[in-house]
Amino acid sequence: MAINYTRLKNVADRLITDNGQMVQLVAYDYVDHDDGSVDKVMRFVSGMGVVSNFNERDSKMFAEIKENDAKLICKLPERPERGQNITANGITWRVVDFKDINPAMLSLCYILQIRA
């Protein structure tokens, strides 16, 4: 039995879009100049996501879940990194940890542990 991962990705995208809201990840690029200096340039990466609470099963996926941590299931055009800021539900959170749901090298979504 073959699994159609493209169809699975489409279902995940539709569920996140139908039930989620806009999220905005703050990413940084570094620009090298001819004089040897480097500038840090902030840019925003927009996507869709659903914020929820952690359950008991999530403690196996993430190491240190604190009381005010939240779980963000999102689709973003690029992979998030630990320490980046993301705005969801009108709150700016910091990415503590994340898991890339990535069967067959097709990124379906990201599950982020976020902390205010």
Side-chain angles (χ1 to χ4, degrees):
M1 180 174 126
I3 296 174
N4 186 342
Y5 290 107
T6 304
R7 184 166 182 230
L8 188 61
K9 178 174 178 28
N10 291 337
V11 170
D13 288 348
R14 183 177 45 82
L15 287 171
I16 292 171
T17 300
D18 291 349
N19 299 297
Q21 61 184 328
M22 289 294 296
V23 296
Q24 198 168 48
L25 180 73
V26 178
Y28 292 96
D29 289 330
Y30 296 91
V31 179
D32 292 327
H33 297 286
D34 293 334
D35 63 359
S37 63
V38 177
D39 287 335
K40 187 177 182 180
V41 179
M42 181 172 45
R43 64 183 169 84
F44 298 98
V45 179
S46 296
M48 295 294 289
V50 178
V51 178
S52 67
N53 293 323
F54 284 103
N55 57 35
E56 290 180 26
R57 194 171 11 140
D58 293 324
S59 63
K60 294 176 185 172
M61 188 183 308
F62 295 101
E64 295 182 24
I65 300 172
K66 296 194 177 181
E67 185 176 335
N68 293 327
D69 287 359
K71 176 171 60 173
L72 174 65
I73 302 168
C74 62
K75 61 177 190 168
L76 294 166
E78 65 182 56
R79 185 179 174 150
E81 295 179 15
R82 290 177 182 89
Q84 286 182 319
N85 289 333
I86 191 162
T87 302
N89 283 357
I91 302 171
T92 300
W93 307 81
R94 184 175 50 87
V95 177
V96 177
D97 199 3
F98 68 92
K99 301 295 180 202
D100 183 3
I101 308 304
N102 187 0
M105 301 306 292
L106 179 67
S107 184
L108 296 179
C109 65
Y110 300 102
I111 301 175
L112 280 62
Q113 177 185 359
I114 54 178
R115 187 172 293 156

